[in-house]
Amino acid sequence: MVTRRNFLAYTSFSMALAALGLTPEALAAQRLKLGKVSAFSFEWLVQLAETQAKSPFIPPETVPENILANINYDIYRKIIYNPDYALFGKTASRFPVTFFSVSGLHHTPVKMSVVENHLAQEIIQDIGYFSLPNKTPGVLPKIKGNVFTGFRVLENQQVLETHPDKDWVSFLGASYFRAVGELGQFGLSARGIAINTVYNGEPEEFPDFTHFWFETPEGDSNRLVVYALLDGPSICGAYRFVLQRTKGVVMDVDCSLFLRRDVGRFGIAPQTSMFWFSKIAKGSASDWRPEVHDSDGLALWTGHGEHLWRPLNNPLQIQVSAFSDNNPRGFGLMQKERNFNAYLGSVGYERRPDLWVETRGEWGEGSVQLVEIPTDDEIYDNIVAMWVPKEPAVAGSQHQFSYRLHWLADEPFPSSLARCGATRLGRGGNPGAYPPSGVRKFMIEFSGKVLDELPVDAKPEAVLWASRGSFDGVKVEKSPGDNKRWRAFFDLHSQGKEPVELRLYLKNAEKTLSETWIYQYLPFESSPRPLQGI
């Protein structure tokens, strides 16, 4: 335990501490040891990233794995961070911050600093800030130096004392971070950057956030500002995150990126999620639950204003889809199915958040790229969505992006047209007849005010397109027993095993009624699946 007297004896920077606003009383309350004072600004951080990118990459120091071998996943989940050492704990700040320790899973420490009035002090890390519950087998190893691998932002000061694991934002591992949505559940993750994700056989690169700076909040603010330095073999970058607790979570992100070497697939604002199976297609007896996924589709709002909905697949082999655009308005991985009975499990898939990227400024030409990787278990993240600029990402180039991340229960800017609902696949042909080869039946649901207000005698049409094959049995009807939904049916005739790209929307006369459903049909999807993930 660090007493007030010992802490004050620790540092001789009393005048600088006063400039930081860290009075002896505040220091005694938070009890964290702090290092020397230095000037700080986001502009300085950007300059640091630019300068560092001109030098060879130096891998960060790690704690030897043999020292951490006993801290397995089960032990790691039980490690307690002493709330007495929370950053912004027992102060007027609304959101206290605690830290994650090194473990057998995460053995690269990250520097942490606190900022106020453009002055920064690094937090002196100590394994003594952590402990294990009584009667828990094993002990934390004696480690000197940095031991923090990430951080979590808690809901309030009371939660710090009663439920210290109830965070609304956490950053942990490489450049990964996540937040709860408005339904109070974690799910998919975001990343600072994606480098060469499934690109021409090259190994994917996972740059690290190597240093975080926390701006001291002003009183009971509903936001927290965090800065980060990103570093990896191909890139160095400066990030500013403005974290806001709303009905869900909103994050404003500004980043300046500097490339050390050429990058083949340069993924901006990447998201990582899990999709095993849904109502669209499920292997026989693969699991007792009807659906298992953190996200079930990719939504896009294009630069020319079209809303697209692309249900996800769990393919037999890696698939990469690119949706070309110019200055996209937004995109994100969504969890559209919100009914518990669709999942029947106990881990809250129906409450998993959507993550929407709202672009800011001019992003130019490029594509939203969707990577789908085979998996046969829910423990693997196998879905990635990201923006990839058309301009080549070459060594020595600089890139600036600004965007807002919305962690919610639905798109923040939904289409005013009817929206896509469930997609279901079945055996093609007529009931009772022997199923013809190469024929698959599709049913897509739509709902929305524009359909509710149609005249009684209106007969909406399905406008269809396929990259190959032909259609028959096309019809649109109001869903029986549910006057709020319409559904479109068609049979797709296609031979061979190559994917078929599909597009569909509803119209009445010359009036467009719905957003556009797009899908990649995989004719070979009923075969056994290999175990993969990312």
Side-chain angles (χ1 to χ4, degrees):
M1 302 292 286
V2 182
T3 66
R4 175 178 173 182
R5 177 176 298 175
N6 289 340
F7 186 85
L8 294 176
Y10 169 78
T11 180
S12 62
F13 296 104
S14 58
M15 293 183 64
L17 294 175
L20 275 166
L22 297 177
T23 63
E25 290 76 14
L27 288 172
Q30 76 170 21
R31 308 180 78 170
L32 280 171
K33 301 175 184 178
L34 301 176
K36 64 181 182 180
V37 176
S38 59
F40 179 85
S41 68
F42 186 51
E43 293 72 22
W44 170 86
L45 182 59
V46 171
Q47 183 62 53
L48 174 65
E50 182 176 12
T51 300
Q52 196 161 302
K54 296 176 182 177
S55 301
F57 172 66
I58 300 176
E61 294 185 4
T62 62
V63 177
E65 293 188 33
N66 63 306
I67 295 178
L68 303 172
N70 292 330
I71 309 181
N72 57 27
Y73 179 71
D74 290 335
I75 296 295
Y76 184 62
R77 292 178 60 193
K78 297 177 182 178
I79 294 176
I80 300 170
Y81 185 84
N82 189 332
D84 290 339
Y85 297 97
L87 181 63
F88 311 133
K90 300 181 181 178
T91 69
S93 172
R94 179 178 175 184
F95 302 124
V97 177
T98 61
F99 302 96
F100 294 101
S101 73
V102 290
S103 70
L105 300 173
H106 305 285
H107 45 82
T108 303
V110 179
K111 295 180 180 180
M112 307 284 180
S113 294
V114 60
V115 177
E116 189 166 353
N117 296 331
H118 301 293
L119 296 173
Q121 284 186 285
E122 186 175 344
I123 297 171
I124 307 302
Q125 302 179 24
D126 193 326
I127 194 65
Y129 296 158
F130 300 93
S131 63
L132 288 170
N134 293 334
K135 298 182 181 180
T136 299
V139 295
L140 295 177
K142 302 294 184 182
I143 304 173
K144 294 183 179 180
N146 289 339
V147 292
F148 295 167
T149 55
F151 68 90
R152 63 195 340 165
V153 185
L154 304 184
E155 290 282 3
N156 52 53
Q157 298 291 336
Q158 182 180 0
V159 165
L160 175 63
E161 300 294 336
T162 59
H163 296 87
D165 58 346
K166 191 174 179 56
D167 44 327
W168 57 276
V169 168
S170 62
F171 283 66
L172 178 64
S175 68
Y176 284 83
F177 57 98
R178 62 180 188 164
V180 297
E182 60 190 282
L183 302 179
Q185 177 77 46
F186 282 110
L188 76 171
S189 298
R191 280 196 266 174
I193 202 72
I195 302 291
N196 291 335
T197 304
V198 187
Y199 183 75
N200 290 348
E202 295 186 18
E204 183 168 4
E205 182 180 320
F206 295 90
D208 292 289
F209 284 136
T210 60
H211 197 154
F212 290 103
W213 290 262
F214 301 89
E215 193 172 278
T216 302
E218 296 181 3
D220 190 24
S221 172
N222 76 329
R223 72 176 205 163
L224 179 67
V225 181
V226 181
Y227 305 89
L229 179 66
L230 179 88
D231 202 15
S234 299
I235 193 171
C236 195
Y239 285 74
R240 174 170 52 202
F241 298 91
V242 181
L243 315 177
Q244 300 179 66
R245 192 68 167 108
T246 60
K247 64 179 181 179
V249 175
V250 171
M251 301 178 177
D252 289 324
V253 184
D254 297 288
C255 60
S256 295
L257 309 170
F258 305 90
L259 294 185
R260 285 191 172 97
R261 61 190 188 191
D262 296 353
V263 172
R265 178 166 283 137
F266 188 38
I268 306 301
Q271 311 173 20
T272 299
S273 192
M274 180 276 295
F275 178 86
W276 185 9
F277 60 85
S278 71
K279 61 175 67 69
I280 296 176
K282 174 183 175 182
S284 176
S286 59
D287 190 88
W288 63 271
R289 294 163 293 180
E291 301 190 45
V292 175
H293 48 75
D294 283 337
S295 306
D296 55 10
L298 171 67
L300 305 103
W301 189 15
T302 68
H304 62 272
E306 185 179 17
H307 286 264
L308 307 173
W309 172 249
R310 162 60 153 83
L312 296 178
N313 278 317
N314 178 10
L316 285 178
Q317 57 189 3
I318 296 173
Q319 298 287 337
V320 179
S321 302
F323 308 95
S324 297
D325 204 353
N326 188 8
N327 290 320
R329 302 185 187 187
F331 66 93
L333 292 172
M334 305 285 116
Q335 185 75 318
K336 185 159 286 193
E337 179 57 79
R338 293 295 180 191
N339 186 349
F340 166 79
N341 291 329
Y343 303 97
L344 299 179
S346 58
V347 293
Y349 283 124
E350 70 278 4
R351 300 193 306 274
R352 301 297 165 107
D354 296 344
L355 177 52
W356 180 263
V357 178
E358 176 190 352
T359 61
R360 299 289 183 87
E362 299 289 317
W363 281 36
E365 292 186 81
S367 60
V368 175
Q369 297 195 6
L370 174 66
V371 178
E372 296 166 302
I373 300 174
T375 189
D376 70 351
D377 204 305
E378 62 197 290
I379 66 173
Y380 299 103
D381 283 343
N382 64 316
I383 303 293
V384 180
M386 56 195 157
W387 172 256
V388 179
K390 181 179 179 180
E391 180 182 356
V394 297
S397 61
Q398 305 178 17
H399 308 265
Q400 285 77 39
F401 291 92
S402 295
Y403 51 96
R404 172 171 283 189
L405 299 177
H406 300 263
W407 307 76
L408 298 170
D410 195 5
E411 296 177 41
F413 310 105
S415 172
S416 60
L417 301 175
R419 301 178 66 190
C420 299
T423 297
R424 300 178 189 272
L425 274 65
R427 190 173 64 184
N430 297 319
Y434 188 81
S437 174
V439 182
R440 179 71 88 174
K441 186 177 296 294
F442 287 77
M443 188 283 290
I444 302 95
E445 291 182 343
F446 294 88
S447 62
K449 184 178 179 181
V450 66
L451 292 176
D452 298 339
E453 296 177 347
L454 283 175
V456 176
D457 60 347
K459 296 182 179 180
E461 300 176 60
V463 180
L464 277 162
W465 174 89
S467 60
R468 65 183 186 86
S470 61
F471 302 109
D472 71 9
V474 180
K475 68 175 181 177
V476 178
E477 66 178 22
K478 185 171 285 189
S479 181
D482 186 350
N483 292 328
K484 296 295 184 181
R485 296 185 184 184
W486 290 70
R487 53 192 190 180
F489 290 88
F490 65 89
D491 279 4
L492 172 69
H493 296 252
S494 64
Q495 300 298 323
K497 296 184 177 181
E498 292 301 312
V500 183
E501 301 293 341
L502 297 165
R503 291 174 67 94
L504 180 152
Y505 68 91
L506 302 183
K507 73 171 186 176
N508 185 38
E510 297 305 313
K511 181 181 179 181
T512 299
L513 298 177
S514 73
E515 62 184 3
T516 302
W517 172 86
I518 56 177
Y519 188 63
Q520 185 181 72
Y521 170 56
L522 306 174
F524 46 89
E525 62 190 339
S526 61
S527 303
R529 304 183 186 280
L531 177 63
Q532 289 191 38
I534 58 171

